[in-house]
Amino acid sequence: PRSDLPPGQALSAGRRAAILDGYRKLAEQVMGLRIDSKTTVRNFITQHDKIVGKVNTIIYGAKVVRTRYKSDGTVEVIMELYLGDMWKTIQSHRKRQSSGY
């Protein structure tokens, strides 16, 4: 967590970051997206962490099913996304994108 924030805010910021990373991973799995990131480490401490990318999809209905605050100060979230019949639509969209239509 960020050391410049009070403990409660640091946990909240860590949870929010974990959720955003979860959405990124869901989008990547569903649509096959590539996200670029850069992390700067000095003396084994992260100095700067940046994730850059454009997401050309919208994720609806994802939910956090579990949040775990770990002893090292990090936060882990487990998210789920029920696709149901939407999977056929997503597959069709991906095929159109790969064929250039």
Side-chain angles (χ1 to χ4, degrees), residues 15-27 51 77 79:
R15 183 175 190 274
R16 179 71 177 145
I19 290 170
L20 288 174
D21 190 50
Y23 274 106
R24 177 190 63 82
K25 289 177 180 178
L26 284 172
I51 300 173
V77 295
M79 298 179 70

Side-chain angles (χ1 to χ4, degrees), residues 10 17 33-34 41 47 51 64 66 68 74 89 94 98-99:
L33 302 173
R34 180 184 169 125
V41 177
Q47 299 294 310
I51 300 173
V64 175
R66 189 174 84 197
R68 192 171 92 181
T74 59
T89 303
R94 290 175 74 182
S98 66
S99 66

Side-chain angles (χ1 to χ4, degrees), residues 7 27 67 89 96:
T67 301
T89 303
R96 282 194 311 269

Side-chain angles (χ1 to χ4, degrees), residues 27-88:
E28 193 172 45
Q29 288 178 7
V30 170
M31 301 304 290
L33 302 173
R34 180 184 169 125
I35 304 294
D36 295 319
S37 64
K38 179 180 180 182
T39 302
T40 304
V41 177
R42 183 178 299 136
N43 296 328
F44 303 103
I45 299 173
T46 300
Q47 299 294 310
H48 181 74
D49 201 6
K50 184 176 183 180
I51 300 173
V52 179
K54 290 185 180 181
V55 178
N56 293 324
T57 190
I58 298 172
I59 301 290
Y60 287 111
K63 64 180 181 176
V64 175
V65 294
R66 189 174 84 197
T67 301
R68 192 171 92 181
Y69 297 93
K70 299 167 81 175
S71 62
D72 64 357
T74 59
V75 182
E76 176 183 85
V77 295
I78 304 298
M79 298 179 70
E80 68 181 15
L81 176 64
Y82 176 73
L83 296 176
D85 293 331
M86 284 298 297
W87 187 244
K88 292 177 187 175

